[in-house]
PDB file of all heavy atoms in Angstrom:
ATOM      1  N   SER A1312     -13.905   0.547  24.820  1.00 93.00           N
ATOM      2  CA  SER A1312     -13.912   0.980  23.421  1.00 93.00           C
ATOM      3  C   SER A1312     -15.163   0.483  22.708  1.00 93.00           C
ATOM      4  O   SER A1312     -15.740   1.179  21.871  1.00 93.00           O
ATOM      5  CB  SER A1312     -12.679   0.455  22.681  1.00 93.00           C
ATOM      6  OG  SER A1312     -11.522   1.064  23.157  1.00 93.00           O
ATOM      7  N   PHE A1313     -15.574  -0.726  23.057  1.00 92.00           N
ATOM      8  CA  PHE A1313     -16.780  -1.287  22.440  1.00 92.00           C
ATOM      9  C   PHE A1313     -17.993  -0.426  22.795  1.00 92.00           C
ATOM     10  O   PHE A1313     -18.791  -0.056  21.926  1.00 92.00           O
ATOM     11  CB  PHE A1313     -16.984  -2.730  22.909  1.00 92.00           C
ATOM     12  CG  PHE A1313     -18.011  -3.476  22.117  1.00 92.00           C
ATOM     13  CD1 PHE A1313     -17.681  -4.069  20.910  1.00 92.00           C
ATOM     14  CD2 PHE A1313     -19.325  -3.584  22.573  1.00 92.00           C
ATOM     15  CE1 PHE A1313     -18.625  -4.751  20.163  1.00 92.00           C
ATOM     16  CE2 PHE A1313     -20.276  -4.263  21.833  1.00 92.00           C
ATOM     17  CZ  PHE A1313     -19.924  -4.857  20.631  1.00 92.00           C
ATOM     18  N   ILE A1314     -18.097  -0.088  24.075  1.00 93.00           N
ATOM     19  CA  ILE A1314     -19.224   0.743  24.514  1.00 93.00           C
ATOM     20  C   ILE A1314     -19.173   2.111  23.835  1.00 93.00           C
ATOM     21  O   ILE A1314     -20.186   2.610  23.326  1.00 93.00           O
ATOM     22  CB  ILE A1314     -19.197   0.897  26.057  1.00 93.00           C
ATOM     23  CG1 ILE A1314     -19.412  -0.468  26.704  1.00 93.00           C
ATOM     24  CG2 ILE A1314     -20.254   1.892  26.525  1.00 93.00           C
ATOM     25  CD1 ILE A1314     -19.148  -0.499  28.196  1.00 93.00           C
ATOM     26  N   VAL A1315     -17.974   2.712  23.810  1.00 93.00           N
ATOM     27  CA  VAL A1315     -17.830   4.026  23.177  1.00 93.00           C
ATOM     28  C   VAL A1315     -18.189   3.955  21.697  1.00 93.00           C
ATOM     29  O   VAL A1315     -18.848   4.855  21.155  1.00 93.00           O
ATOM     30  CB  VAL A1315     -16.384   4.559  23.373  1.00 93.00           C
ATOM     31  CG1 VAL A1315     -16.079   5.701  22.414  1.00 93.00           C
ATOM     32  CG2 VAL A1315     -16.192   5.023  24.797  1.00 93.00           C
ATOM     33  N   ALA A1316     -17.785   2.863  21.037  1.00 91.00           N
ATOM     34  CA  ALA A1316     -18.107   2.710  19.609  1.00 91.00           C
ATOM     35  C   ALA A1316     -19.615   2.684  19.395  1.00 91.00           C
ATOM     36  O   ALA A1316     -20.134   3.305  18.455  1.00 91.00           O
ATOM     37  CB  ALA A1316     -17.463   1.444  19.063  1.00 91.00           C
ATOM     38  N   ILE A1317     -20.330   1.995  20.281  1.00 91.00           N
ATOM     39  CA  ILE A1317     -21.786   1.948  20.164  1.00 91.00           C
ATOM     40  C   ILE A1317     -22.383   3.345  20.374  1.00 91.00           C
ATOM     41  O   ILE A1317     -23.279   3.777  19.640  1.00 91.00           O
ATOM     42  CB  ILE A1317     -22.399   0.970  21.209  1.00 91.00           C
ATOM     43  CG1 ILE A1317     -21.835  -0.441  21.021  1.00 91.00           C
ATOM     44  CG2 ILE A1317     -23.919   0.987  21.152  1.00 91.00           C
ATOM     45  CD1 ILE A1317     -22.490  -1.251  19.949  1.00 91.00           C
ATOM     46  N   ILE A1318     -21.847   4.074  21.379  1.00 93.00           N
ATOM     47  CA  ILE A1318     -22.351   5.428  21.632  1.00 93.00           C
ATOM     48  C   ILE A1318     -22.099   6.320  20.413  1.00 93.00           C
ATOM     49  O   ILE A1318     -22.989   7.048  19.953  1.00 93.00           O
ATOM     50  CB  ILE A1318     -21.679   6.036  22.890  1.00 93.00           C
ATOM     51  CG1 ILE A1318     -22.047   5.223  24.129  1.00 93.00           C
ATOM     52  CG2 ILE A1318     -22.089   7.495  23.063  1.00 93.00           C
ATOM     53  CD1 ILE A1318     -21.296   5.631  25.384  1.00 93.00           C
ATOM     54  N   ILE A1319     -20.870   6.250  19.871  1.00 92.00           N
ATOM     55  CA  ILE A1319     -20.552   7.049  18.674  1.00 92.00           C
ATOM     56  C   ILE A1319     -21.529   6.714  17.551  1.00 92.00           C
ATOM     57  O   ILE A1319     -22.080   7.598  16.890  1.00 92.00           O
ATOM     58  CB  ILE A1319     -19.092   6.776  18.214  1.00 92.00           C
ATOM     59  CG1 ILE A1319     -18.098   7.373  19.204  1.00 92.00           C
ATOM     60  CG2 ILE A1319     -18.850   7.334  16.808  1.00 92.00           C
ATOM     61  CD1 ILE A1319     -16.639   7.057  18.903  1.00 92.00           C
ATOM     62  N   ALA A1320     -21.761   5.430  17.364  1.00 90.00           N
ATOM     63  CA  ALA A1320     -22.644   4.987  16.280  1.00 90.00           C
ATOM     64  C   ALA A1320     -24.064   5.523  16.469  1.00 90.00           C
ATOM     65  O   ALA A1320     -24.678   6.044  15.535  1.00 90.00           O
ATOM     66  CB  ALA A1320     -22.652   3.471  16.207  1.00 90.00           C
ATOM     67  N   LEU A1321     -24.577   5.427  17.706  1.00 90.00           N
ATOM     68  CA  LEU A1321     -25.944   5.894  17.956  1.00 90.00           C
ATOM     69  C   LEU A1321     -26.049   7.398  17.736  1.00 90.00           C
ATOM     70  O   LEU A1321     -27.010   7.887  17.133  1.00 90.00           O
ATOM     71  CB  LEU A1321     -26.371   5.537  19.384  1.00 90.00           C
ATOM     72  CG  LEU A1321     -26.573   4.032  19.658  1.00 90.00           C
ATOM     73  CD1 LEU A1321     -26.842   3.785  21.134  1.00 90.00           C
ATOM     74  CD2 LEU A1321     -27.719   3.485  18.804  1.00 90.00           C
ATOM     75  N   LEU A1322     -25.029   8.152  18.207  1.00 92.00           N
ATOM     76  CA  LEU A1322     -25.037   9.602  18.005  1.00 92.00           C
ATOM     77  C   LEU A1322     -24.981   9.939  16.521  1.00 92.00           C
ATOM     78  O   LEU A1322     -25.668  10.850  16.047  1.00 92.00           O
ATOM     79  CB  LEU A1322     -23.857  10.251  18.747  1.00 92.00           C
ATOM     80  CG  LEU A1322     -23.979  10.297  20.272  1.00 92.00           C
ATOM     81  CD1 LEU A1322     -22.695  10.806  20.897  1.00 92.00           C
ATOM     82  CD2 LEU A1322     -25.148  11.190  20.687  1.00 92.00           C
ATOM     83  N   MET A1323     -24.177   9.173  15.773  1.00 90.00           N
ATOM     84  CA  MET A1323     -24.089   9.430  14.336  1.00 90.00           C
ATOM     85  C   MET A1323     -25.415   9.171  13.654  1.00 90.00           C
ATOM     86  O   MET A1323     -25.805   9.898  12.738  1.00 90.00           O
ATOM     87  CB  MET A1323     -22.999   8.569  13.710  1.00 90.00           C
ATOM     88  CG  MET A1323     -21.646   9.152  13.988  1.00 90.00           C
ATOM     89  SD  MET A1323     -20.370   8.491  12.957  1.00 90.00           S
ATOM     90  CE  MET A1323     -20.843   8.984  11.332  1.00 90.00           C
ATOM     91  N   GLY A1324     -26.095   8.134  14.116  1.00 86.00           N
ATOM     92  CA  GLY A1324     -27.417   7.848  13.581  1.00 86.00           C
ATOM     93  C   GLY A1324     -28.360   9.025  13.800  1.00 86.00           C
ATOM     94  O   GLY A1324     -29.124   9.411  12.908  1.00 86.00           O
ATOM     95  N   LEU A1325     -28.263   9.627  15.013  1.00 88.00           N
ATOM     96  CA  LEU A1325     -29.120  10.768  15.325  1.00 88.00           C
ATOM     97  C   LEU A1325     -28.750  11.992  14.489  1.00 88.00           C
ATOM     98  O   LEU A1325     -29.617  12.702  13.974  1.00 88.00           O
ATOM     99  CB  LEU A1325     -28.991  11.131  16.814  1.00 88.00           C
ATOM    100  CG  LEU A1325     -29.684  10.207  17.820  1.00 88.00           C
ATOM    101  CD1 LEU A1325     -29.387  10.660  19.236  1.00 88.00           C
ATOM    102  CD2 LEU A1325     -31.184  10.190  17.559  1.00 88.00           C
TER     103      LEU A1325
END
Side-chain angles (χ1 to χ4, degrees):
Chain A
S1312 292
F1313 192 83
I1314 296 169
V1315 164
I1317 301 278
I1318 296 173
I1319 290 175
L1321 291 174
L1322 288 173
M1323 282 196 63
L1325 285 177

